[in-house]
Amino acid sequence: MNRVAGIDCGTNSIRLLVADVERDENGVRLTDLTRQMRIVRLGQGVDKTGRFDPAAIDRTIDAVVEYERMISRLGASKVRFVATSASRDASNRDEFIDAVRSILGIDPEVVEGTLEAALSFSGAVSGLGAGVESPMLVVDIGGGSTELVLGDTEVRQAISVDMGAVRVTEKFFADCDQEAGIPLADQERAIEWIDEQLDGAQKVVDLERVKTLVGVAGTVTTLTAQALGLATYQPELIHGASLSLDQIDQAVRFMVDQPSKVKAALGFMPEGREDVIAAGALIWSRIVKRVVARATEQGTVIDRVVTSEHDILDGIALSLA
């Protein structure tokens, strides 16, 4: 048994998983020791400026210092730090990477979108069990990018699209007064752009083959908590939840239409997500509608969508087994 630590450094949040990894005849199994998340908005303004904001770097480094203490206390023998969309885009990323290296004593990785997608798929599949029909499409909506991965026991097709909750918020909702909800005209502009990105994505990933649609990461799990009517964040209820299309639509409408202060007051809403969840919700809504439509054209019925609590963070940890 190995004790490992994986860190997923995204555009909006940085997360830590320390787990024991056990390999036997049934495969590889993770036993969590701690899961942590801090919303640091590392990618703040990167889409516009192409650079990390110094304050965003400072916030993220503070979280890395905190995580290093946890890793040391729990005695992980292997550590992997993976940075994704915002770090791919920032021209001054070396400043951030050098700071992380000095704290953790390892070489942080800025991974390409295809590897990010593969890690997301590996993590999601590890926690779903054997009852999910393949091929499945795993969708990971992050702050700066969205990964769409089609596969069964392994990845068959994958793409990473520069379309995430923070990126869409900064592109289309930056001037909105979110206390009044998102204006319809701004929603329509965002939807048009999202659909254009999905037009390109489906040239790489064959959506007509999908039998099961699986959503992972913060946007989807937060929407699932809303759809389930939870008062607090309960991962044991969110993981494996199978939502109807109507449940998803109602949760999306709530996150788009309600004022930020209402969303911020939800017991399951992490501080710092309330202002980007509307954009993430629109991305998820457009993906669900497109996948369902393509499946229907092929005579496949997709009337429910699965949520997984396991994602790229689990994939990072599993890669250390």
Side-chain angles (χ1 to χ4, degrees):
M1 184 179 294
N2 293 322
R3 181 161 294 182
V4 303
I7 298 176
D8 165 36
C9 183
T11 300
N12 197 44
S13 65
I14 182 168
R15 300 182 299 149
L16 167 71
L17 170 60
V18 181
D20 286 331
V21 183
E22 187 174 3
R23 185 184 297 274
D24 56 29
E25 65 276 7
N26 297 315
V28 182
R29 182 172 62 255
L30 292 175
T31 300
D32 293 9
L33 298 174
T34 188
R35 281 181 188 260
Q36 301 287 330
M37 179 183 71
R38 305 290 181 267
I39 292 184
V40 293
R41 198 67 60 85
L42 176 62
Q44 176 185 344
V46 168
D47 189 62
K48 183 176 181 180
T49 67
R51 295 178 58 82
F52 284 139
D53 183 281
I57 292 178
D58 289 344
R59 290 193 300 267
T60 309
I61 291 301
D62 286 345
V64 174
V65 170
E66 183 183 6
Y67 286 172
E68 191 280 330
R69 292 172 182 154
M70 295 179 190
I71 292 167
S72 295
R73 185 174 68 249
L74 291 169
S77 60
K78 296 180 181 178
V79 182
R80 187 177 184 187
F81 183 103
V82 171
T84 55
S85 177
S87 297
R88 291 195 289 266
D89 296 344
S91 61
N92 61 335
R93 69 184 186 187
D94 286 347
E95 174 187 346
F96 171 64
I97 293 301
D98 289 345
V100 173
R101 182 183 293 111
S102 68
I103 296 165
L104 295 178
I106 61 169
D107 287 329
E109 302 171 56
V110 179
V111 299
E112 294 302 318
T114 51
L115 178 54
E116 181 180 357
L119 289 168
S120 294
F121 185 83
S122 171
V125 170
S126 72
L128 285 178
V132 179
E133 185 178 5
S134 296
M136 68 187 85
L137 181 72
V138 173
V139 178
D140 184 338
I141 301 172
S145 66
T146 293
E147 285 66 52
L148 295 94
V149 195
L150 183 72
D152 34 56
T153 56
E154 60 185 88
V155 174
R156 303 298 177 182
Q157 298 172 335
I159 190 171
S160 180
V161 184
D162 286 338
M163 171 183 71
V166 173
R167 199 181 296 266
V168 170
T169 299
E170 292 184 350
K171 275 183 176 292
F172 299 102
F173 305 152
D175 297 326
C176 295
D177 176 10
Q178 290 208 30
E179 290 311 321
I182 306 297
L184 183 59
D186 292 315
Q187 292 181 43
E188 290 174 345
R189 288 192 306 118
I191 287 171
E192 181 180 6
W193 184 83
I194 292 166
D195 285 346
E196 288 174 357
Q197 311 316 301
L198 293 177
D199 288 342
Q202 74 174 31
K203 294 176 181 177
V204 177
V205 177
D206 187 359
L207 301 184
E208 295 179 350
R209 295 172 56 191
V210 177
K211 300 294 184 184
T212 304
L213 177 57
V214 180
V216 304
T219 286
V220 174
T221 57
T222 303
L223 286 167
T224 301
Q226 172 65 26
L228 295 175
L230 301 183
T232 59
Y233 196 86
Q234 296 176 261
E236 70 279 6
L237 298 180
I238 292 169
H239 180 64
S242 177
L243 301 181
S244 70
L245 303 183
D246 185 58
Q247 284 178 297
I248 293 170
D249 187 59
Q250 289 184 33
V252 167
R253 290 318 320 164
F254 181 91
M255 294 302 175
V256 173
D257 295 338
Q258 289 297 315
S260 287
K261 63 183 177 183
V262 171
K263 292 180 281 190
L266 296 169
F268 53 79
M269 182 69 69
E271 183 179 356
R273 181 165 288 148
E274 69 277 359
D275 63 331
V276 300
I277 188 64
L282 287 177
I283 293 170
W284 187 223
S285 175
R286 300 312 295 174
I287 291 171
V288 170
K289 284 179 168 58
R290 185 171 294 226
V291 170
V292 169
R294 296 298 175 270
T296 300
E297 291 170 1
Q298 299 303 308
T300 300
V301 176
I302 296 179
D303 56 7
R304 304 191 75 82
V305 176
V306 178
T307 300
S308 175
E309 274 283 328
H310 300 275
D311 54 25
I312 186 174
L313 189 58
D314 299 77
I316 294 167
L318 287 166
S319 73
L320 297 172

